[in-house]
Amino acid sequence: MTRRKIAAGNWKMHGTSADLAELGKLIEETKGAAAEVLVCPPATLIARFAEQARGSHVAIGGQDCHPEAKGAHTGDIAAEMLADAGATHVIVGHSERRADHHEPDALIRAKAEAAWRAGLLAIVCVGETEAERDAGRAREIVALQLQGSVPDRAEAESLVVAYEPVWAIGTGRTPTTDDIAAMHAFIRDELKTRFGPPMAEATRVLYGGSVKPGNAEEIFAVTDVDGGLVGGASLKATDFSQIVAAAG
Ligand code: PGA
């Protein structure tokens, strides 16, 4: 089974209209890339990024969505609104949302369902904290997050799982390639048990946490790693295009 790799950039709370040029540069520099390229800017930029990327190989995604399609939820954005703005993907359950907004697994599951209702591909994030890893609980935590956050009707075409150890995000630290391989094999096994071998074999599982031009090739070569979810290093086209090339 060949799974096409994905290089996904998560801009987090970075970017204004001045950064449209950076997207233009990325589109130029990654022309002909073998991997799928995705940029998830802040919500304020989605429509303009989607407009600029229209007709190119670069897809645009949201960083979060509300489970409901509309309603009295000040400040929230529905998956349907992301789709209307031109997004094709949405990240749900990022550890920063799990921590900053106390998002539980059941809410993340509802957000993934909302993404599918709106026709978006859902990138569901999981990953242990440093304390959980030190306590030998990394697999247990990731298994619980997968069980709780991934809806029962998940299919490989509309789901991507991102394994992001919380202690590796924005820290410059990464697990060893052996540790990444072990966790990705574990995640695929969990998917196999719950959804069966064909789904598990076809579902992309990304690694995230301090992916940089200097380590991307090594990480993406690990068995069961189908690309990366990249924060800091996705903000500059020159860095991110090297990561896209490493995923090719
Ligand atoms: P980082 O962030 O690449 O800056 O570590 C990754 C993420 O949070 O998705």
Side-chain angles (χ1 to χ4, degrees):
M1 169 90 234
T2 49
R3 294 178 298 266
R4 189 167 176 220
K5 283 195 167 53
I6 304 176
N10 172 12
W11 278 32
K12 309 190 179 184
M13 201 170 72
H14 297 282
T16 62
S17 50
D19 295 296
L20 276 165
E22 213 55 40
L23 177 66
K25 208 164 139 193
L26 179 73
I27 293 170
E28 273 307 306
E29 288 179 5
T30 58
K31 253 188 199 139
E36 283 178 36
V37 187
L38 170 68
V39 176
C40 300
T44 47
L45 288 177
I46 289 174
R48 274 182 290 177
F49 270 38
E51 182 64 33
Q52 176 153 355
R54 184 182 297 164
S56 82
H57 60 288
V58 175
I60 304 300
Q63 298 175 10
D64 179 50
C65 66
H66 191 279
E68 289 169 31
K70 60 183 167 191
H73 303 291
T74 303
D76 278 316
I77 297 172
E80 282 78 359
M81 295 168 179
L82 297 176
D84 180 56
T88 50
H89 298 59
V90 63
I91 299 168
V92 295
H94 189 281
S95 61
E96 285 152 15
R97 294 215 54 96
R98 288 179 185 265
D100 297 355
H101 300 270
H102 312 290
E103 293 195 4
D105 287 319
L107 176 61
I108 295 157
R109 176 189 284 240
K111 290 179 177 200
E113 288 279 8
W116 297 339
R117 185 186 66 220
L120 302 177
L121 190 149
I123 301 175
V124 177
C125 303
V126 296
E128 82 285 356
T129 63
E130 183 155 42
E132 288 162 347
R133 174 157 287 261
D134 289 348
R137 298 182 60 211
R139 286 184 180 205
E140 176 201 334
I141 295 298
V142 167
L144 285 172
Q145 289 176 341
L146 285 172
Q147 283 158 25
S149 307
V150 176
D152 288 334
R153 62 185 190 91
E155 291 175 354
E157 294 70 34
S158 48
L159 173 74
V160 168
V161 174
Y163 168 59
E164 300 202 295
V166 177
W167 51 273
I169 294 175
T171 59
R173 295 165 58 205
T174 54
T176 65
T177 49
D178 283 352
D179 283 343
I180 294 174
M183 187 59 89
H184 278 244
F186 175 73
I187 290 170
R188 205 171 297 288
D189 263 358
E190 288 290 297
L191 294 175
K192 200 177 288 173
T193 305
R194 185 165 160 205
F195 300 104
M199 182 278 189
E201 276 308 306
T203 299
R204 272 88 57 93
V205 183
L206 310 184
Y207 168 78
S210 296
V211 175
K212 305 268 183 270
N215 63 16
E217 203 169 321
E218 191 187 10
I219 291 172
F220 296 164
V222 173
T223 308
D224 282 314
V225 173
D226 304 308
L229 181 55
V230 185
S234 71
L235 294 171
K236 288 274 156 266
T238 42
D239 290 339
F240 194 45
S241 60
Q242 290 177 59
I243 292 171
V244 171

